[in-house]
């Protein structure tokens, strides 16, 4: 059962991260707009392509490689835990500083749920993979 769970987490992350990365690489202004960002010229587009496009696409490919048995699953799960953990940590800090959800628009409120669930599921999957459990 744990094996199916871990493979499911890797599969969902592989698909969602690859799709996110490809969208950010191909259409950085539309991607930024969905997050409430306004990109100012080529520099903004470059940053979205690098931070969201490249990072998410390669992390998704790492998850796919682990899913296919080409790399150890913990090697993919550790960066996934770090990505989701960093995202939800930053969102919670922002939530406290911004005084709640009232100012957020677009996809941002949903990303609180997605990042929290992603962090917890990836952390649980990593725990199942660790030999000391």
């Amino acid at each position: 059962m744990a094996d199916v769970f871990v493979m499911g987490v890797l599969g969902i992350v592989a698909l969602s991260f690859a799709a996110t990365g490809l969208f950010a690489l191909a259409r950085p202004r539309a991607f930024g707009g969905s997050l409430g960002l306004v990109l100012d010229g080529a520099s903004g587009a470059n940053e979205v392509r690098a931070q969201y496009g490249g990072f998410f696409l390669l992390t998704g490919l790492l998850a796919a490689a682990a899913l296919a048995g080409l790399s150890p699953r913990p090697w993919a799960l550790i960066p996934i835990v770090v990505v989701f953990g960093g995202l939800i940590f930053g969102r919670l800090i922002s939530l406290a500083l911004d005084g709640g959800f009232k100012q957020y628009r677009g996809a941002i409120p949903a990303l609180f749920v997605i990042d929290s669930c992603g962090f917890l599921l990836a952390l649980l999957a990593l725990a199942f993979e660790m030999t000391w459990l």
Side-chain angles (χ1 to χ4, degrees):
M1 182 70 157
D3 193 55
V4 171
F5 176 77
V6 171
M7 298 298 270
V9 168
L10 287 170
I12 291 168
V13 168
L15 290 173
S16 63
F17 276 29
T20 298
L22 289 171
F23 179 33
L25 285 168
R27 301 191 58 218
R29 284 175 180 73
F31 182 88
S34 72
L35 299 175
L37 302 173
V38 177
L39 304 186
D40 185 22
S43 293
N46 177 274
E47 196 61 17
V48 166
R49 285 186 180 115
Q51 294 292 329
Y52 290 96
F55 193 75
F56 275 85
L57 179 59
L58 290 182
T59 306
L61 292 176
L62 180 61
L67 192 61
L70 300 174
S71 68
R73 295 188 301 199
W75 291 9
L77 290 167
I78 291 169
I80 293 166
V81 168
V82 170
V83 168
F84 276 126
L87 288 169
I88 196 58
F89 177 77
R91 289 189 198 290
L92 292 173
I93 296 296
S94 186
L95 183 67
L97 294 174
D98 295 339
F101 284 99
K102 63 185 173 290
Q103 297 180 42
Y104 299 150
R105 64 184 198 280
I108 300 302
L111 291 175
F112 276 86
V113 175
I114 292 166
D115 294 341
S116 296
C117 291
F119 176 66
L120 294 173
L121 292 173
L123 195 59
L124 185 57
L126 180 61
F128 283 138
E129 285 295 299
M130 301 308 290
T131 57
W132 46 267
L133 288 180

